[in-house]
Amino acid sequence: MKIPRSPIFFFGATLVAFSVALVVFVAILLLSQRSVTNARESAFHTLEIEQRLSDLQADLVAAEAAQVAVLLTGDQGPLSSYYRATTDIGLTLRSLSFLVADNDLQGQRIVQLKELFREKIREMDETVQTVRIGDQGGALAAARRNATQSSATLRIQEILEAASRTETSIEREHQNNLQISARRRDNVAVALIVLLAALMVGLFIAVNRARKYERLIKVCAWSKTVEYEGEWVSYDEYLRRRFNVSVSHGISPDAMEKLDAEA
């Protein structure tokens, strides 16, 4: 017999919906993992920029300290620290240029820092070179003149602080976006879990309904034939087609008694 379409359709639709929901759930998990990875990379990127800004601050302090030591003592020993610090400043500024390439505001600040550091190092080099040729008095005079005429150090400090605040703000925004995404992901995941559970229940119901219909056969009350796949066939043919059973014929004791009585 034909199984009614409604249970089969319900079974198929439920199975398809279950598969789609499962695929969406897995996709959400993968996207969530990707978001976490991106957030982690963003945090590392921001920390690296902040570290470079801190390095600039430290190198500037080291260079100024070495310059002062040279001016006060006339000893050229601290010059190695001075040149190392000024060299590191150039390398750090170059590194920062690449790190902030996607941020126009920070890029402009790095350009300003390059100009200010160039000016500051030129001033310090002037006094250091004067000491190297033995003119300590001229070096002290140049240092006093630069201190009164230049505001590069103060301006450098202001830009470094502003750049650091910007990176902190960017990181805070990334964290907020990550939290919002995590909440949305969790809500969608819960909804999908509930949907998957409902679909599993529906799938179970559909299977049970289909099995119930499979256990029913339609028998003609007059001809004693059976409907199978839209065709009315004999019991023998039904058993053969449905269960691949071969039928042999005999006579029951009751039928034999009736035949003997009639005879």
Side-chain angles (χ1 to χ4, degrees):
M1 60 170 289
K2 281 189 175 181
I3 299 174
R5 292 184 178 180
S6 54
I8 294 301
F9 176 79
F10 183 56
F11 175 83
T14 304
L15 184 60
V16 171
F18 181 86
S19 302
V20 171
L22 185 60
V23 170
V24 172
F25 183 73
V26 173
I28 288 176
L29 291 180
L30 294 177
L31 290 175
S32 174
Q33 182 61 35
R34 183 177 179 182
S35 298
V36 172
T37 301
N38 291 339
R40 186 180 296 112
E41 292 176 353
S42 174
F44 288 154
H45 182 77
T46 300
L47 289 175
E48 186 175 2
I49 293 175
E50 291 180 342
Q51 182 61 50
R52 294 291 186 274
L53 293 173
S54 178
D55 291 343
L56 283 178
Q57 174 72 26
D59 289 334
L60 176 60
V61 171
E64 290 180 330
Q67 179 206 28
V68 171
V70 171
L71 291 176
L72 292 179
T73 64
D75 181 12
Q76 298 187 17
L79 285 178
S80 59
S81 298
Y82 170 79
Y83 288 124
R84 182 169 57 251
T86 53
T87 300
D88 288 344
I89 287 173
L91 295 175
T92 302
L93 286 171
R94 183 180 302 175
S95 175
L96 280 169
S97 297
F98 291 104
L99 289 172
V100 302
D102 58 344
N103 188 314
D104 293 337
L105 177 59
Q106 294 290 69
Q108 294 173 5
R109 286 171 175 161
I110 298 304
V111 172
Q112 292 175 340
L113 285 174
K114 287 181 179 179
E115 293 296 328
L116 290 169
F117 271 110
R118 189 178 295 113
E119 177 185 347
K120 181 65 179 179
I121 293 173
R122 184 174 62 250
E123 293 174 357
M124 292 190 295
D125 281 347
E126 182 180 351
T127 59
V128 169
Q129 293 299 326
T130 306
V131 171
R132 293 188 64 181
I133 62 177
D135 185 6
Q136 188 172 359
L140 291 172
R144 285 194 293 269
R145 183 173 63 253
N146 290 337
T148 58
Q149 294 178 356
S150 174
S151 60
T153 300
L154 179 60
R155 183 62 180 145
I156 287 172
Q157 298 285 355
E158 291 175 350
I159 295 177
L160 287 175
E161 291 175 0
S164 181
R165 287 194 301 271
T166 297
E167 290 302 320
T168 301
S169 176
I170 290 173
E171 177 59 20
R172 188 180 299 113
E173 182 179 355
H174 283 314
Q175 291 298 327
N176 290 336
N177 291 337
L178 181 61
Q179 291 177 1
I180 293 173
S181 299
R183 285 195 296 269
R184 289 177 179 173
R185 177 203 63 206
D186 293 342
N187 292 336
V188 173
V190 170
L192 282 174
I193 290 173
V194 173
L195 177 60
L196 287 172
L199 290 174
M200 290 181 67
V201 172
L203 191 60
F204 178 76
I205 293 173
V207 169
N208 283 342
R209 290 183 64 186
R211 286 179 177 176
K212 183 181 73 172
Y213 279 103
E214 284 181 345
R215 290 194 295 266
L216 296 177
I217 61 174
K218 187 184 295 184
V219 180
C220 177
W222 288 269
S223 65
K224 303 303 181 181
T225 54
V226 181
E227 184 186 26
Y228 180 70
E229 295 183 347
E231 184 180 356
W232 290 92
V233 297
S234 65
Y235 281 123
D236 297 355
E237 184 65 16
Y238 172 76
L239 292 173
R240 186 185 67 79
R241 293 186 184 183
R242 179 70 183 276
F243 302 106
N244 195 26
V245 174
S246 299
V247 178
S248 64
H249 296 278
I251 185 169
S252 66
D254 293 338
M256 180 63 73
E257 290 179 0
K258 290 181 181 181
L259 289 175
D260 291 339
E262 292 176 359

